[in-house]
Amino acid sequence: MASGVIFHPCFLLSYYLIGLLVTAHNVPQAQLTPYNGQHLMKVSIGTPPVDIYGAADTGSNLVWTPCVPCNDYCFKQIHPLFDPKKSSTYSEISCHSEKCQLWDGGHCSPQNSCIYSSGYISGLSQGVLAKEKATITSTSGQVVSFDIAFGCGHNNTLHSDVQATIGLGSGPLSFVSQIGSKRFSYCLLPYGTEYTDPSITSKISFGNGSEVVGDGVVSTPFVAGDQYVVTLEGISVGDTYVSFNSSGKASKGNMCIDSGSPMLALPPDFYDRLEVEVKKHISIDPIKDDPNLGTRLCYRTKITNENGPILTVHFEGADVELKPIQTFNRPVKEYEYYCFGITNTANSDLASFGDHYQGIYGNYVQANFLIGFDLETRMVSFKPTDCSKL
């Protein structure tokens, strides 16, 4: 890990920051819009407020957005860049402040501003840490405001037309911690919803009133740390159980729940054994020798409840049932490919992160569940839900 760079996903460093309290009568709630494998959370920052759309990301702990000026490598954005000079509430954080010193020891610009670097699979964001006013809507229809520290990115090499990130981890610089929320929940729309009906959005809620309760709720504990790292014991394909570890019991904390990563990524041995069983439960022949697909398991026929298997994810104390809408998707809308939304970490960009984790529970398989995170009880809860109807 390079000095001064905080890497995503699921193994960021720890920080300490006191957040603002959320009142129980005005539960903050923001819109989530699916976009190219991400779910964009709408937040307004600055005075006057400017809307930013950042990837809702439980696998990281920083709120940041591209800012004016953005360097020559800055990928063209579909939303306007935030211009700090146009906001009366913007102020940079000094590199001599406590907050900056807690950001990997603190790094100074020539102007004594606090410098941040945040690394992702798709690139790097660098800029200054700053204070700003952030606003979102609430369940009562009123606007809720918070003062937050965020990254104003001036040097960004991410190859994406939406680069802003809303870190939702449990670390003190995350959006969750800074607004003083001890719990939050979200409901993600299935991949490709934006192609079939771009008007549909879903919600993320914070604080009291965001609990996931009622019939069908199952919960699993997450281990101490800045991310939501849980224990996956195995996955059943129909009635056939496939254990996480073929040579023994699964280790604690082997899976990070990461809404900022699309795929469910599994270690090679586990994935290979799972794929064998999935193929057995689908009578259609998979596509072979297509250079566009590489080693992905794909079919030319849509996989549905009628011709595809039900997968049951066995977390510690919680069984989560996945239907084909969550485990098979159409990765490129121009082609009639329907591909398995679970991947082998060795055959993906995730392999570059080495031994920091064993697997990622990405947003494809989180779709159509109301998922709640409780930072006090350290539990993650799942409730099957049609997210388009919330």
Side-chain angles (χ1 to χ4, degrees):
M1 182 181 295
S3 175
V5 179
I6 309 303
F7 279 94
H8 169 279
C10 295
F11 53 99
L12 307 192
L13 301 181
S14 299
Y15 308 96
Y16 300 90
L17 185 69
I18 298 175
L20 301 176
L21 294 178
V22 179
T23 65
H25 305 292
N26 213 22
V27 179
Q29 190 174 76
Q31 173 184 291
L32 290 177
T33 303
Y35 181 81
N36 287 351
Q38 295 291 342
H39 296 266
L40 306 183
M41 176 176 162
K42 180 182 175 181
V43 180
S44 298
I45 62 171
T47 306
V50 174
D51 292 341
I52 64 169
Y53 295 82
D57 187 8
T58 56
S60 65
N61 282 290
L62 181 68
V63 178
W64 73 269
T65 189
C67 289
V68 176
C70 199
N71 68 357
D72 294 339
Y73 299 102
C74 190
F75 202 88
K76 185 176 181 180
Q77 299 293 283
I78 61 173
H79 300 113
L81 300 184
F82 178 69
D83 188 346
K85 291 183 178 179
K86 294 182 179 179
S87 173
S88 63
T89 47
Y90 176 89
S91 63
E92 293 184 354
I93 293 174
S94 167
C95 66
H96 302 298
S97 70
E98 181 181 358
K99 290 178 184 176
C100 187
Q101 293 303 313
L102 292 169
W103 178 264
D104 194 32
H107 295 269
C108 288
S109 73
Q111 295 78 30
N112 287 323
S113 296
C114 185
I115 301 298
Y116 82 89
S117 292
S118 191
Y120 301 81
I121 289 172
S122 58
L124 185 71
S125 173
Q126 295 177 318
V128 296
L129 282 182
K131 298 176 186 177
E132 189 51 282
K133 180 180 179 181
T135 57
I136 58 177
T137 55
S138 70
T139 50
S140 68
Q142 297 177 336
V143 169
V144 186
S145 298
F146 312 95
D147 291 324
I148 65 167
F150 81 109
C152 202
H154 297 292
N155 298 284
N156 307 306
T157 60
L158 286 77
H159 298 285
S160 170
D161 55 3
V162 177
Q163 295 182 350
T165 298
I166 311 296
L168 298 171
S170 57
L173 276 183
S174 77
F175 185 83
V176 178
S177 297
Q178 291 202 68
I179 68 172
S181 179
K182 296 298 182 183
R183 57 192 59 85
F184 70 99
S185 61
Y186 56 66
C187 206
L188 305 181
L189 293 165
Y191 179 82
T193 300
E194 64 267 38
Y195 305 142
T196 56
D197 190 345
S199 68
I200 298 178
T201 60
S202 58
K203 295 287 193 300
I204 179 170
S205 302
F206 300 89
N208 296 333
S210 68
E211 298 87 353
V212 177
V213 296
D215 295 339
V217 175
V218 295
S219 301
T220 187
F222 59 88
V223 301
D226 284 354
Q227 276 74 44
Y228 309 106
V229 180
V230 299
T231 302
L232 176 60
E233 297 171 344
I235 298 176
S236 292
V237 184
D239 295 327
T240 304
Y241 180 77
V242 182
S243 62
F244 188 96
N245 192 337
S246 60
S247 60
K249 189 175 181 179
S251 59
K252 290 279 187 181
N254 57 18
M255 183 69 48
C256 179
I257 298 180
D258 185 0
S259 61
S261 293
M263 306 284 275
L264 167 52
L266 302 173
D269 173 66
F270 185 18
Y271 175 83
D272 290 344
R273 289 181 287 113
L274 182 70
E275 186 186 86
V276 168
E277 293 303 325
V278 169
K279 286 180 177 178
K280 288 180 183 178
H281 283 75
I282 300 176
S283 59
I284 309 163
D285 290 332
I287 300 172
K288 296 180 180 179
D289 302 323
D290 189 323
N292 294 320
L293 300 175
T295 60
R296 292 194 68 180
L297 174 61
C298 300
Y299 297 85
R300 296 194 187 280
T301 301
K302 185 175 182 178
I303 306 302
T304 66
N305 292 349
E306 285 67 42
N307 63 7
I310 300 296
L311 272 62
T312 304
V313 178
H314 302 286
F315 291 116
E316 178 185 356
D319 291 342
V320 177
E321 188 176 278
L322 302 177
K323 295 180 172 60
I325 193 173
Q326 291 139 337
T327 54
F328 280 88
N329 58 59
R330 191 174 172 183
V332 182
K333 64 179 179 179
E334 289 82 8
Y335 295 93
E336 291 294 326
Y337 294 153
Y338 299 91
C339 297
F340 198 30
I342 301 177
T343 190
N344 178 340
T345 55
N347 293 333
S348 73
D349 291 336
L350 297 170
S352 64
F353 285 97
D355 298 326
H356 291 283
Y357 58 86
Q358 289 182 271
I360 296 291
Y361 197 77
N363 61 48
Y364 287 165
V365 291
Q366 295 182 47
N368 276 350
F369 283 93
L370 183 61
I371 302 179
F373 300 80
D374 192 314
L375 279 63
E376 290 184 322
T377 62
R378 303 196 72 81
M379 298 290 285
V380 183
S381 300
F382 301 82
K383 182 180 182 179
T385 305
D386 184 345
C387 296
S388 67
K389 292 187 166 65
L390 287 183

